[in-house]
Amino acid sequence: MRRPTSCSCALFFILVLLFLSESWGQRLNTDDKKPSCDHCNQQLFCNCSHSGFTSVPTVTGSALSLDLSFNKITAVTNDDLTGHTQLKVLDLHGNGLAEIHPSAFDSLWSLEQLDLSYNQLTMLNHKWFSKLEALQQLNLLNNPYSYLGSPPVFGALVRLRKLALGGPSLKELRRGDLSGVTQLEELTVHANNLTSYDAGTLAHIWPLGHVTLSLHGPFLTNVTLAGSMIDDVSYPETPIILKDINLIGVQSVQPFSKAAKRRIRYLTLHNISVSDEAIVDFLVVLDGVPLTKLTIEDVTLMGEGWWGKASQTDLRSIDEFYIRNVVILDVFVMPCLTSHLLKNLQYLDLSDNLLTDLTLEETLCGTTQTLKDIRVLNFSGNALKSLSTVSRLVTKFSKLTHLDISRTGYSFMPSSCPWPSTLQFLNISGAKFTAITPCLPQTLEVLDLSNNNLKDFTLLLPVLRELYLSGNKFLRLPSGLSFPNLQTLTIQSNTLNMFGKTDLQSYQRLDNLQAGQNKFVCSCDFVSFVQLELQGGGGIQLTDGVDSYICDSPFYLHGQPVDQVRLSVVMCHQVLFVSVSCGLALFVATLLSVVLWRIHAFWYLKMIWAWLKTKRNSRQRQQRRDEADTEALISFDAFVSYSERDAGWVENFLVPELEEPRSTSHRPLTLCLHKRDFLPGQWIVDNIMNAIERSRRTVFILSENFVQSDWCRYELDFSHFWLFDGHATGEAAILILLEPLSKDDVPKRFYKLRKLMSSTTYLEWPQEEEKREEFWRSLRNALRGNDN
């Protein structure tokens, strides 16, 4: 064997190194592979929120919106967003983001919205925004930075229109921090813990749209700082929202004095604590200010309700006054809103408070003429219980058009109530009314009585256009005669079973009906009507949609949408179905009767009935015959069945020859003839059966007259059953043909007679005189039968 050379060993060693390096490289590439997100819709909006990403995932480069909120991304590197030149919206809030590379956003030239709120950014870097010239909205709220930084962070954002900054850690704002921001549509600053502010920091921003300032700490510890910030953003056309403030004492309202001098027109106080003393001082500060809209939301009121100086202030410029979600501590009464205080007020909202009938009377100053220009009042969600009280209090408002007293404690409606003649819209939903009285004003155009306990509505309201009755206990639609101008009716979630065209005929102008979510009985008329209306084929629109109309009964339709129900013709057209069925049955019966008559079925039925009736008598006679001597019961040698038209032959030939023979060698025979031997007054069937039973033989005189004669047929009908049912043998019947007659000439219903003619020899009456002696001899022999 040859020993491997050193070159071979070196080559082998190099190959091993190359293999290991390639394996390690693949492993490194696998470890460094970035996560991906494919939750992008057709509009290229990628929703990758709440997905647990720890780094920025890869998405399509053509994405327009990328939502990475509520993940676990702590850093954004310089190449995480490379290539996203078309991206317009980037949301990174709620990640715990602590580090952003200075050039991380450099490729986002088209970015318009950037949200970095609720992260862990301790410092802001102006390089992040240096290439974002198209940025219009920026949110930096609630990060732990204490100042904005230097050089100015927003210097390159020339198109910025909405800016939100600050948080619990923000301590100072310096002049120049917002350099580059020249105008804004919205500015939000959370400065609850701000300790240092350079006057004029926000003053250079103009025009300035909505401003929201959270100034909890400054109002408590540094009212001068608070005043400076409010002064910098106070313009007549700029709505100001102040949040998280406490107004306790005279000093706490001083920051508003500068705003008052700037003649602000729109002011909102949100989430505040205020005493009665501070409210009075606040009204004094705003005395004479052309304020047009004042909103107070989520307020905690403290004090004893002393309003002495408030009545001397002038806020006649206010058109809209909102007070919502008030929590009252200790004893608190709303002040009397005198005309001097709020002379031009048009909208007053005191909803969701703790007003009672007594405090409401105090607030509205009893019968004193106040709020002459008020048009809209909202007292919903209060503890009011007397409808007559509120109607009396609002009667003085000669311009009032809208009144909302829903979600109150009303349970009784008096027989009459005073109302302003201008009142058009009344909401008393969510009360406990069980009946309607003429207390409601005749001037109403819109009335909401939803969620009460009403069962009927018969009050005439001539100009009413909209009526809302959902959540009551109506069993049927109210009569439209009470609402000649009604256009919209909502009566969902009641106890309606059904309604139809006849129920709506009294509504002259109704074109919008919402009656779903009731327990409908899906009858034919109801299903047909609703399906037609849902398809738009009727004159009324059911605007609450097909899903609101569900069958409750009958049981086999429970839970099915009305528009999918298909009922049978039998159920939906019972009268027509019964009429057609009866007509068809009559036709079939007539047709069947004709057929049965043609096949002589009635004859068979009549024979069966007669036979059953005589069978009982026959049994009785048979029993007597069994007990007695049979020969003693025999009275005739033969019973003769013949046609009346053949009576001449019977009387002139048969009877003389058999009963009065010319020769003494022939024994006279006794014949039973119906004309002579039937008992008068006895049922003919019994006569026939008696004659047959008491005769040794039965002689049938067959001829065309016999077959066609009604009487013969009648007689034979009632006799041949017994004759051929087993009581008598075939020898008991003797057939005499007066004229040539085949069995085919005998009716088919006499099937036993036809059979007998086929199997039994019969006698033919000879026309030749010389052959008649033989005929009589054969007949006598047949009649004597057992005697021979």
Side-chain angles (χ1 to χ4, degrees), residues 30-70:
T30 301
D31 293 341
D32 292 341
K33 184 177 181 181
K34 296 178 62 177
S36 63
C37 175
D38 56 358
H39 299 158
C40 300
N41 60 21
Q42 295 180 351
Q43 289 75 32
L44 300 177
F45 292 171
C46 302
N47 184 2
C48 305
S49 63
H50 297 88
S51 300
F53 292 119
T54 57
S55 61
V56 177
T58 58
V59 295
T60 174
S62 57
L64 298 179
S65 175
L66 178 57
D67 186 353
L68 294 172
S69 60
F70 299 106

Side-chain angles (χ1 to χ4, degrees), residues 98-335:
E99 181 181 354
I100 300 178
H101 191 275
S103 60
F105 304 139
D106 284 0
S107 62
L108 307 181
W109 307 316
S110 302
L111 193 67
E112 297 177 355
Q113 299 180 30
L114 177 60
D115 192 341
L116 297 173
S117 60
Y118 294 92
N119 283 292
Q120 298 298 320
L121 299 174
T122 59
M123 182 177 293
L124 303 181
N125 191 334
H126 71 283
K127 295 182 179 180
W128 297 344
F129 315 117
S130 60
K131 302 295 179 65
L132 304 182
E133 296 180 357
L135 193 66
Q136 299 179 21
Q137 299 181 29
L138 176 60
N139 190 343
L140 298 171
L141 288 173
N142 293 303
N143 280 280
Y145 54 84
S146 58
Y147 59 94
L148 296 183
S150 181
V153 177
F154 313 115
L157 304 179
V158 294
R159 296 186 180 179
L160 192 65
R161 293 298 178 265
K162 296 181 180 180
L163 175 61
L165 58 90
S169 300
L170 185 64
K171 301 296 182 182
E172 61 180 46
L173 285 174
R174 299 299 180 188
R175 188 185 296 272
D177 282 349
L178 276 76
S179 296
V181 180
T182 56
Q183 57 179 324
L184 290 175
E185 296 174 2
E186 293 183 13
L187 173 63
T188 301
V189 180
H190 286 191
N192 286 328
N193 297 318
L194 194 68
T195 58
S196 178
Y197 177 81
D198 289 346
T201 300
L202 303 176
H204 69 282
I205 303 175
W206 175 258
L208 182 59
H210 291 79
V211 176
T212 301
L213 302 178
S214 297
L215 299 174
H216 179 74
F219 264 89
L220 287 177
T221 61
N222 193 341
V223 293
T224 302
L225 185 153
S228 296
M229 290 191 67
I230 294 175
D231 182 45
D232 284 350
V233 296
S234 294
Y235 301 98
E237 301 302 326
T238 300
I240 299 177
I241 302 175
L242 298 178
K243 301 175 63 175
D244 308 326
I245 62 176
N246 289 345
L247 300 180
I248 309 297
V250 178
Q251 292 297 321
S252 62
V253 301
Q254 291 306 309
F256 295 101
S257 59
K258 294 184 178 180
K261 294 179 181 179
R262 302 286 294 270
R263 306 183 70 78
I264 60 173
R265 299 176 59 186
Y266 311 100
L267 178 61
T268 298
L269 304 180
H270 181 75
N271 190 26
I272 68 170
S273 297
V274 61
S275 66
D276 55 350
E277 180 184 8
I279 287 182
V280 172
D281 293 330
F282 174 75
L283 296 176
V284 171
V285 168
L286 297 180
D287 185 18
V289 175
L291 197 64
T292 60
K293 181 178 180 180
L294 176 61
T295 303
I296 303 176
E297 297 180 319
D298 300 326
V299 55
T300 300
L301 300 176
M302 300 171 291
E304 298 180 357
W306 297 102
W307 309 103
K309 293 186 294 183
S311 60
Q312 304 174 7
T313 58
D314 182 6
L315 296 177
R316 68 184 65 186
S317 62
I318 293 182
D319 293 330
E320 301 180 38
F321 182 32
Y322 300 83
I323 301 178
R324 298 194 185 99
N325 301 328
V326 179
V327 177
I328 303 175
L329 303 180
D330 301 324
V331 178
F332 201 98
V333 179
M334 287 293 296

Side-chain angles (χ1 to χ4, degrees), residues 88 146 160 204 236 246 370 404 432 479 584 643 709 722 737 767 774:
K88 294 184 179 298
S146 58
L160 192 65
H204 69 282
N246 289 345
T370 61
D404 188 345
K432 301 176 182 178
S479 174
L584 184 61
S643 170
S709 172
W722 185 91
L737 272 65
Q767 299 299 323
E774 178 64 22

Side-chain angles (χ1 to χ4, degrees), residues 397-425:
F397 302 134
S398 59
K399 297 182 180 180
L400 184 67
T401 59
H402 294 67
L403 177 60
D404 188 345
I405 46 177
S406 60
R407 297 181 291 115
T408 52
Y410 298 133
S411 59
F412 172 74
M413 186 176 293
S415 58
S416 62
C417 306
W419 298 99
S421 60
T422 55
L423 189 61
Q424 300 175 357
F425 302 84

